[in-house]
Amino acid sequence: MAGEAEAVRAALRALEAISDPVERARETSALLRDWPDLHRELREVREQAVRSAHDQGRTYDEIGEEIGTTGDRASQIARGYVKGRRRNNDAPSPPSS
């Protein structure tokens, strides 16, 4: 399961290992240009995973503990909240605790 995350880390190390600095900069720049879309996709993968875990009967507190956050944050992730607002900005921010 953690193999996929390690593959991403290995890809970053491979970028660092490109000996030609211009090629390394070019490849890194291309990835950075794509980053907003990749970041959004990662958030969507996480949101769906949290929803699936909850649909399978886990509580948000359990999910939060397993993914290294709180139950409240796990619930926000499942609902698409990003830094206090819904990802598509169509809902008000949840009250702060």
Side-chain angles (χ1 to χ4, degrees):
M1 302 249 179
E4 289 81 3
E6 185 52 39
V8 172
R9 290 182 188 96
L12 287 173
R13 287 191 297 273
L15 279 174
E16 293 171 336
I18 297 172
S19 60
D20 181 339
V22 173
E23 182 182 351
R24 186 170 59 242
R26 182 176 47 246
E27 293 298 319
T28 303
S29 293
L31 185 58
L32 287 169
R33 278 191 298 275
D34 292 341
W35 180 247
D37 290 333
L38 295 170
H39 194 251
R40 178 188 44 76
E41 289 176 35
L42 281 170
R43 287 186 182 279
E44 289 172 358
V45 167
R46 180 179 64 173
E47 179 181 327
Q48 182 56 42
V50 170
R51 282 186 190 164
S52 293
H54 190 256
D55 289 347
Q56 291 174 359
R58 289 188 176 117
T59 67
Y60 287 123
D61 285 337
E62 291 169 336
I63 297 165
E65 184 175 327
E66 291 179 35
I67 67 171
T69 191
T70 66
D72 286 341
R73 181 65 187 126
S75 174
Q76 290 173 346
I77 290 167
R79 291 178 289 146
Y81 280 91
V82 178
K83 294 185 181 179
R85 66 186 191 291
R86 278 197 56 84
R87 188 174 44 252
N88 62 7
N89 292 324
D90 66 357
S93 298
S96 41
S97 29

